[in-house]
Amino acid sequence: MSDIQTCGIVCPTDWVPLPLDPSDDVKRWAKTTAAELCERSSVAGYELDGRALRKDLRNWAEDSRSRAPLYGFAFYPDGFDTALALLEVEVIRTDDTVPRFSLDWLADTFSAHDFGPPQISHPKVPIGPAVRLRQNFAADGMPRGGPGVLIQTVTYGVLPEGTDDALVLLVSWTVPGFDDVMEDAADSIARTLTVS
């Protein structure tokens, strides 16, 4: 068995890749990307607030960078100057504390029980066996007495064939009534994962 050296993913164009390398200039990226998204939305018949969009892009990039995933994407459909969802992919490597991964370990480790147990299934993905968790949990750091924020997620834990490592793909959103769209997107994108 070998370590995962590279990982690939294919996302639709409305999932904007976030600049995760510490050397990336987030401010310049946000300005350029905001201009591109404003132009795309304008062609589709929507006018966006460029300043709000730049600020939102910077916030999502800085938030994702704080967790240092392998990939991060924010979902910006035409007409929206705020991201509706976040997608992150990370590689988990075995070590002395966890010398071997299993689907049960991935399900236990990435489960939250804030609102009951997660919905767990075992879908097929091309690169190997997987566990899928659909769950909701409360956002961290909410102000006292203020309304809570419900974070909805789909998490894929994948054991790529030929490696001891695992991949975790997480899609999260807070927009109510958006579940089916996000679940379909997560399922579709999870099937594009590749490793070598």
Side-chain angles (χ1 to χ4, degrees):
M1 298 280 188
S2 62
D3 288 341
I4 293 174
Q5 300 300 315
T6 61
C7 173
I9 188 170
V10 178
C11 290
T13 57
D14 46 7
W15 287 89
V16 175
L18 301 173
L20 301 177
D21 191 288
S23 66
D24 290 335
D25 182 341
V26 174
K27 190 173 181 180
R28 189 172 77 202
W29 166 84
K31 182 177 180 182
T32 302
T33 304
E36 292 168 0
L37 292 175
C38 284
E39 175 62 25
R40 188 183 81 191
S41 281
S42 179
V43 169
Y46 303 101
E47 294 303 318
L48 300 182
D49 179 344
R51 287 181 74 188
L53 182 54
R54 282 193 304 276
K55 181 178 179 183
D56 195 64
L57 284 161
R58 278 194 315 271
N59 289 341
W60 282 103
E62 289 166 1
D63 176 63
S64 190
R65 287 170 81 148
S66 71
R67 287 180 296 281
L70 183 62
Y71 293 110
F73 295 85
F75 181 52
Y76 286 94
D78 290 338
F80 289 87
D81 56 14
T82 57
L84 301 185
L86 177 69
L87 182 152
E88 293 180 334
V89 176
E90 64 178 301
V91 175
I92 301 175
R93 303 198 188 278
T94 57
D95 60 23
D96 292 339
T97 60
V98 185
R100 183 179 167 97
F101 294 122
S102 69
L103 295 180
D104 288 340
W105 183 90
L106 290 167
D108 289 343
T109 301
F110 292 96
S111 288
H113 295 272
D114 294 14
F115 299 99
Q119 299 170 9
I120 299 175
S121 60
H122 293 86
K124 295 187 184 239
V125 295
I127 61 171
V131 62
R132 179 187 188 270
L133 309 171
R134 171 64 178 92
Q135 57 194 335
N136 301 329
F137 55 94
D140 290 334
M142 294 310 303
R144 284 187 179 203
V149 174
L150 179 70
I151 298 177
Q152 303 178 75
T153 66
V154 171
T155 305
Y156 271 82
V158 184
L159 299 174
E161 294 174 2
T163 180
D164 291 325
D165 299 337
L167 285 180
V168 175
L169 178 147
L170 171 69
V171 176
S172 60
W173 66 97
T174 59
V175 180
F178 209 46
D179 302 3
D180 290 343
V181 171
M182 288 293 87
E183 289 191 49
D184 289 347
D187 295 342
S188 176
I189 292 169
R191 290 191 292 271
T192 73
L193 288 168
T194 58
V195 295
S196 61

